[in-house]
Structure formats: structure tokens, C-alpha cells
Amino acid sequence: MEDAGKFDARYRAFLETVSQLRPQLHRYCSRMTGSITDGEDVVQDALFRAYRSLDTFDDSRPLVPWLFRIAHNQCIDFLRRRGVREEAEAAAAEPDFIEPGDPAPTVGPAIEHLVLNLPPKERACVLLKDVFEYSLEEVAELVDSTVGGVKAALNRGRSKLEDQPAPPRVTAPEHRQILRLYVERFNNRDWDGLRELISADARLLVADRYSGSFTDGGYLGVYSRMTVTWRLTLGEVDGEPSIILLNIRDGAWEIEGIIRLDIGAHGRIERICDFQHCPWVLAAGSVVVREFVG
């Protein structure tokens, strides 16, 4: 999907047909990745992969498990790329044997925010069984395991979750100044100054609209031509410093979307992700406006 460019009409139509499933897919992916923006990023990739694989889909089978399977695999790929390959492989290599009998649920939906301390296999099984209420057989199919393997992962995951505190949020204070400069220059329509913050080969994702080169995306031009009154502001998304898009309606500022910047070691922006077309992201976590800038 990295070079998909502007999404064509057929793909946009596909996204519309699965729109009712998007919040559920996003909820799962955001809990697997630990971030509502990373979760939507993964969903975008998963849906594009599903669209490209429609010719292999057996339409006599339910659509939801098929999409969840693709989304799950994208989550695992994401986690491995993020540096937990060894953890994922170690978890997958653990023996699948468990004493007979279904484990009784000991946790509920409240564990959604606690599963990040679990290895990916246990994380997925606990979420799918205890939060999304899939059967053991369905979970086994989704995570490419056996019923015995799912039971074992559930037992391990549930025991680790008992009395477990919520994982601490990791902030990136060295990036706060770049976020501030980005917001200031965007609000002042200082497009040249903004480009100074962005790497020459930066990527751009406008969720449900475009994925590709920032240079080719026409992103700044879209904002410069918007007829609605908007501004960016500094805030927090699930406790992490973020940029929030506001639109004015009936004389009051309302949260319209989230913009995430991926900043490289050289201190320049390598990727911009704009989630203004995905309202379910706003309902999936804590989005707080902290400060008007510019």
C-alpha cells in the first residue's frame, strides 16, 4: 500500500461496503499495537491487502473472520517490524499442550488496555476470546493455531494479567519541539517553513484517501484550499504528545481528526499520517487538547 497513490473509485467503494466493520477492526488492531493511530495504520494496510485479494475470497463464507485474519496477520507483521520478532517467535514456539477442559474466563473487556505486556500470540487470543467473544475454534482459525494452542495461550495470558497494572506510557520529549514547529507553521500557512521540517523522501498517508510520496500527494494544497475553518493544535492521544485537527462549527472548535508524525533519528519528519476521515479513531482512545499554538 506504500505506493498506492490516490485511491481509485473501486477501492473507495470497497471501503464503503466494509464501513460498519471498521470500528471493530480498528479496536482489535489498536489493542494489538498499543496505539489508536498505529492501529488505524495497520487497518489501512489490511483492508488494502483484502481488496487486492478479493478474487481469492470464498463468498460462501463469512466476511468478518476473513478480514480479521488479514488484520491479525498485519498486526503480527507490524509487531515484528517494531522489534519484537524474537518475542513473537518464542511465544509461537511454546508447547500447545494443556490439561483437558475449557479455561473459565477470569478477565473481561477491561483488560483491553493491559494486554500490551503479553506476547503477541497470548495478546491476540485473550482479545479475540475475552473481548470479541470468538469461540475457541474461531480463534484457532484466526491465529493459525489449534484449539489446544489457543487454550494454552489463554491460560498463560490470563494468569499474567491477574493484578497487572496498566503499562506506562512512553513519551518522546525530544520530538515535542518538532510537533510545536509543525503546528505553528501549518497554522500560519508557512508552507516553505513546513517543508524544511520534512524529509525529502517523506511518506504520506491520508487514511481512506491516499498513500504514497508526500511530494506527490498535494497534501498542503488540499489544506490551503479548504473552505472550512480549521487549525492544528497540540494535544495528547492516549497520553502521548500528538497533533489534533480542529474544525469550527456553530462558533465552537470541535475535534476533527488526529495527525501523527513519524520523526527520524536525524530530527526530520519521515512520515505524516492524517486520520481525519476515520471518526472511529476518535472514539477508541483518549484525545485531549492541551494547547492552542500559532
Side-chain angles (χ1 to χ4, degrees), residues 226-237:
M226 276 188 179
T227 57
V228 298
T229 302
W230 59 265
R231 70 180 297 163
L232 303 187
T233 188
L234 294 175
E236 291 181 357
V237 176

Side-chain angles (χ1 to χ4, degrees), residues 243-281:
I243 294 173
I244 298 171
L245 170 65
L246 304 175
N247 283 358
I248 196 165
R249 291 192 179 89
D250 299 325
W253 291 104
E254 296 184 2
I255 297 176
E256 186 73 12
I258 299 168
I259 297 172
R260 189 187 74 209
L261 306 181
D262 294 342
I263 302 170
H266 48 63
R268 301 189 73 187
I269 299 166
E270 294 183 337
R271 189 166 185 251
I272 299 170
C273 300
D274 188 320
F275 299 105
Q276 67 167 300
H277 300 294
C278 304
W280 48 84
V281 173

Side-chain angles (χ1 to χ4, degrees), residues 5 26 47 67 90 93 110 128 168 185 230 244 255 270:
H26 174 257
L47 290 176
L67 287 177
L128 290 169
R185 296 178 185 183
W230 59 265
I244 298 171
I255 297 176
E270 294 183 337

